[in-house]
Amino acid sequence: MSAAAQREARRTEALDSFRVRGMPHRRFEHWRYSDLRAVLDAGQVAQAGTAKWNIEHLPEGVELFDLSVQDAPEWVMKTLGHVGNRRTMVEASLAFSEGGVALRVPKGKHIAEPIKLEIGGQGNLRWLIVLEQGASATVFEPHAHDAGYLRNVGVEITLAEGAELQHVRCAPLAPRSFTVELMALELAKHAKYYGHFANFGSRLSRTEAHIVLGGEGAEAHLSGVAVLGHEAHSDVTTHIEHAAGKTLSTQLFKHVAGGKSRAVYQGKITVRDGASGSDSRQTARALLMSPRAEADLKPELIIFNDDVKCAHGATVGDLDPESLFYLRSRGIPEKDARRLLINAFLEEAVDVIGNDTLKETIWHDIEAALPRAMEAAK
Amino acid sequence: MLEIKDLHVSVDGKKILKGLNLKVETGKVHAIMGPNGSGKSTLSYVLAGRDGYEVTGGSIVYNGEDLLKMKTEERAAKGIFLAMQYPVEIPGVTTMMFLKSALNAQKRARGEPELDAMGMLKLVRAKAKDLQVSEEMLKRALNVGFSGGEKKRLEILQMSLFEPKMAILDETDSGLDIDALKLVAEGVNTLRAPDRSMLVITHYQRLLDFIVPDRVHVLAGGQIVKEGGKELALELEEKGYADVVKVPA
């Protein structure tokens, strides 16, 4: 069967699967805080078309394949639609997107310059990246402000032995849009993934990552910030599976919610039988800036092995009044003191971004988003 | 400099200060001594403008202005400084950045030119040396992991940088060993000036051996019950509070 025919077959399969299961809703285990069916129906997803992607400048050494060309090479075929489980919105992005982009970094190649993958417009989209053995790269994934009504992105990432990927996803303010991005990652031996998910407010935003640490010594380090105001809804859902020994995962998410916004974090960690010597840590904290803002933080651990270390913590709170008084008593006006304390709260989750330019970009977006997040509900 | 008349203050509905009168002269060091629970910390917080301290009666006039009408940050810009008993730890804000933000905020409020990073660094370095505040401390998050002595030294460093007109030192001696106490007291003494008043609040007379006050006031049951010269502190130390003051019911 030709690649094009295989893709068509896979697309039909995805379409059937999406039709049977439909839109995720509250009674889906992982969608209890973000009821997508209540705001969107399956027909809208199907008719949304294909979202846009753009890479202005491709760093030397990175291979690119445009997924709108049906006759895909073998490395694309091995990955596209095959990484991770087949969740319903993943199937939708596969069934309804006409295009997208596939990237590959060959064995041993180190790409220093970030690959800037811009995503815009409305509709479904797929992108994938394959890092071969010992390769390393940074992907910066900024989303456009005008997200359109709906965007549903399916992402696949495979990291071969010793490969290292830094991934910074930045979703700016888009108060009218529904944005869903589901990522599936597979990490081989000693591969490392550093993911940062920043969100500055959509009508409903869902960022989901399923990570399988499949090889010994593989590591996933997730961090993220959400700075939300008005009626924004941001949902970060992660599932990290420790499937091999001595695997490590860390997660650090900090959310600031003002107005009537809602910040959701669900983090599930599964430690498989064979994952002896694994270590997982997760921290999620939320700062509520208004009595009508809400945060739901839900860490979850499923462990099938005794020889592991797992630590998790989740706290929701307000700015510390003692700290606020201290700063004000030194002459810092209340508004500035609040900003200083919010920045201090977010700092450790931004500081882990490995690339200084990207770190600054995120800080810049935080500064822009803060005034909204600091408003009380209207 | 500061005149407090018949001040009544409640916290969570509980009356703490019950008609306190106090006059602080320009350029003088006044000590407030009193047993636990007499309202010493409440007085310092009311002067600095902390939320949750409800003034139900009386007045505080500071340099001819109604202090109670000013916001916390406004008081700081106008020269009120409170060295706190328990300086807060703020992770994520470096000490140096905090000092710069605070000093420039005060300067901005007074319409004075702000200091740039270089100017600030020079100024802080010069002042930090005498107080044994290291460069390393300045780079760390504010008060995080500082020892008791380091925290108090940093409070005095702030006092030296902000050059307040009215400095209030709340239990500055608490948690300090004798060497740390001497260092802090020395720092305070060098800041004594004809245009700067100080209110030294303490439970023990020990601190007043090193920071010798011009006037001593005894606070008990929410009122100033006795006043005198520096010898009053010694008397209190010898006899204890119970013998010297009759606590009003």
Side-chain angles (χ1 to χ4, degrees):
Chain A
M1 206 174 5
S2 72
Q6 281 179 53
R7 282 180 66 185
E8 190 50 39
R10 178 69 188 87
R11 205 172 357 245
T12 310
E13 206 181 284
L15 185 61
D16 289 343
S17 160
F18 177 67
R19 281 198 176 131
V20 170
R21 286 184 286 173
M23 296 297 285
H25 54 82
R26 269 188 303 141
R27 284 195 291 279
F28 274 47
E29 195 195 339
H30 289 301
W31 288 84
R32 53 184 290 208
Y33 299 110
S34 305
D35 193 346
L36 204 58
R37 196 176 64 180
V39 291
L40 278 177
D41 64 44
Q44 287 170 301
V45 177
Q47 282 155 23
T50 305
K52 294 183 189 74
W53 63 271
N54 180 44
I55 295 175
E56 199 68 43
H57 176 254
L58 188 70
E60 209 178 315
V62 183
E63 252 175 278
L64 182 148
F65 180 78
D66 185 338
L67 291 176
S68 65
V69 177
Q70 294 306 304
D71 199 11
E74 201 198 332
W75 65 270
V76 174
M77 292 306 293
K78 272 201 329 214
T79 309
L80 182 64
H82 294 289
V83 181
N85 60 18
R86 299 179 171 187
R87 286 154 293 142
T88 177
M89 292 310 285
V90 174
E91 296 289 55
S93 65
L94 201 57
F96 306 122
S97 66
E98 308 259 305
V101 62
L103 300 162
R104 177 163 71 161
V105 180
K107 189 174 168 181
K109 262 246 181 315
H110 300 287
I111 311 295
E113 183 191 337
I115 305 163
K116 186 175 176 190
L117 170 59
E118 293 171 284
I119 294 180
Q122 81 166 25
N124 298 280
L125 193 75
R126 303 284 305 188
W127 71 267
L128 65 87
I129 185 164
V130 174
L131 260 59
E132 293 187 344
Q133 198 182 334
S136 69
T138 300
V139 171
F140 175 46
E141 184 195 351
H143 284 238
H145 288 264
D146 64 329
Y149 186 63
L150 158 72
R151 189 186 295 144
N152 179 35
V153 184
V155 182
E156 284 160 304
I157 295 171
T158 63
L159 306 182
E161 186 177 340
E164 253 187 74
L165 179 68
Q166 298 223 31
H167 176 205
V168 175
R169 179 188 186 271
C170 180
L173 180 69
R176 289 187 308 273
S177 19
F178 302 98
T179 53
V180 178
E181 180 153 329
L182 274 66
M183 302 169 227
L185 296 94
E186 279 176 7
L187 276 72
K189 228 166 137 179
H190 301 296
K192 289 179 185 163
Y193 172 72
Y194 299 86
H196 184 89
F197 311 143
N199 193 300
F200 301 104
S202 304
R203 203 159 137 203
L204 191 153
S205 153
R206 165 82 159 201
T207 311
E208 189 174 320
H210 284 234
I211 302 174
V212 178
L213 301 173
E216 195 178 277
E219 298 179 14
H221 301 278
L222 303 183
S223 62
V225 293
V227 179
L228 312 170
H230 295 196
E231 292 178 354
H233 178 117
S234 160
D235 176 333
V236 173
T237 295
T238 65
H239 183 187
I240 298 179
E241 216 178 308
H242 289 258
K246 294 181 183 140
T247 45
L248 168 65
S249 71
T250 64
Q251 298 184 66
L252 178 59
F253 287 92
K254 298 274 186 96
H255 298 162
V256 178
K260 285 190 260 180
S261 67
R262 190 173 186 190
V264 177
Y265 166 80
Q266 308 181 87
K268 184 161 143 185
I269 292 166
T270 308
V271 184
R272 297 275 171 225
D273 195 14
S276 293
S278 289
D279 190 349
S280 79
R281 292 165 229 160
Q282 81 188 124
T283 302
R285 291 181 63 199
L287 209 49
L288 298 182
M289 303 304 294
S290 130
R292 297 185 69 186
E294 185 179 327
D296 303 284
L297 310 176
K298 191 182 139 211
E300 190 184 347
L301 278 172
I302 302 170
I303 306 173
F304 299 100
N305 187 311
D306 293 334
D307 175 30
V308 294
K309 273 193 276 183
C310 294
H312 64 88
T315 54
V316 178
D318 195 357
L319 286 179
D320 175 35
E322 295 247 359
S323 304
L324 205 53
F325 169 64
Y326 190 84
L327 296 177
R328 292 182 66 197
S329 78
R330 269 52 183 155
I332 300 175
E334 182 173 1
K335 210 172 157 195
D336 297 347
R338 286 181 171 274
R339 272 186 102 114
L340 203 62
L341 291 175
I342 295 170
N343 283 343
F345 167 80
L346 294 171
E347 212 261 342
E348 54 173 345
V350 181
D351 200 47
V352 290
I353 298 174
N355 179 296
D356 286 344
T357 314
L358 296 181
K359 206 187 288 188
E360 261 173 54
T361 303
I362 298 296
W363 273 123
H364 182 267
D365 289 341
I366 288 172
E367 287 301 317
L370 270 180
R372 252 168 206 266
M374 288 169 73
E375 275 175 31
K378 275 183 189 146
Chain B
M1 175 71 67
L2 185 81
E3 190 165 9
I4 304 173
K5 275 187 188 160
D6 194 30
L7 188 69
H8 291 258
V9 175
S10 294
V11 180
D12 293 329
K14 195 174 170 236
K15 289 177 184 166
I16 309 286
L17 298 185
K18 304 164 187 168
L20 183 139
N21 292 292
L22 179 71
K23 208 170 166 180
V24 177
E25 304 288 344
T26 304
K28 301 287 185 211
V29 174
H30 292 246
I32 301 266
M33 298 187 71
N36 287 329
S38 57
K40 298 193 300 291
S41 282
T42 298
L43 176 62
S44 69
Y45 285 143
V46 168
L47 290 171
R50 185 171 181 161
D51 287 343
Y53 291 78
E54 197 198 346
V55 176
T56 56
S59 65
I60 306 177
V61 174
Y62 169 65
N63 281 336
E65 286 188 86
D66 183 353
L67 186 76
L68 295 172
K69 282 208 174 119
M70 297 179 203
K71 285 186 194 165
T72 308
E73 49 268 35
E74 214 180 321
R75 297 180 196 196
K78 288 192 170 167
I80 299 257
F81 177 80
L82 169 62
M84 295 197 197
Q85 185 178 4
Y86 304 110
V88 293
E89 299 185 1
I90 307 185
V93 176
T94 66
T95 304
M96 192 62 204
M97 188 231 181
F98 157 75
L99 293 174
K100 181 166 175 263
S101 305
L103 184 62
N104 278 338
Q106 292 188 24
K107 284 182 176 292
R108 204 158 46 237
R110 292 194 291 260
E112 295 167 12
E114 294 178 34
L115 281 174
D116 61 10
M118 216 39 231
M120 189 66 205
L121 195 64
K122 270 188 194 163
L123 181 67
V124 172
R125 269 190 187 147
K127 305 217 178 220
K129 216 176 147 202
D130 291 341
L131 285 158
Q132 294 179 16
V133 171
S134 64
E135 295 266 326
E136 192 262 329
M137 270 172 77
L138 295 168
K139 282 180 192 150
R140 266 151 58 188
L142 182 59
N143 286 320
V144 177
F146 285 22
S147 70
E150 284 173 331
K151 284 181 185 171
K152 295 295 165 76
R153 261 144 55 201
L154 188 67
E155 292 291 288
I156 305 307
L157 173 63
Q158 291 176 51
M159 183 168 146
S160 154
L161 279 173
F162 302 156
E163 301 180 319
K165 295 270 173 285
M166 173 79 237
I168 304 145
L169 285 78
D170 187 11
E171 306 274 2
T172 292
D173 49 333
S174 74
L176 296 187
D177 62 33
I178 193 73
D179 291 331
L181 180 68
K182 274 185 187 165
L183 188 66
V184 165
E186 222 167 275
V188 172
N189 285 330
T190 58
L191 293 170
R192 291 176 90 140
D195 60 345
R196 178 174 298 136
S197 306
M198 294 191 195
L199 198 57
V200 181
I201 295 175
T202 180
H203 182 97
Y204 302 103
Q205 179 266 341
R206 184 178 75 152
L207 179 67
L208 304 179
D209 285 343
F210 300 99
I211 304 172
V212 180
D214 299 300
R215 295 287 293 167
V216 174
H217 311 261
V218 181
L219 177 61
Q223 290 178 1
I224 299 295
V225 294
K226 199 169 174 123
E227 293 180 316
K230 59 185 178 207
E231 63 288 346
L232 180 57
L234 293 167
E235 194 189 334
L236 281 167
E237 185 73 5
E238 263 169 46
K239 298 182 181 166
Y241 284 107
D243 279 357
V244 176
V245 300
K246 278 191 237 104
V247 178

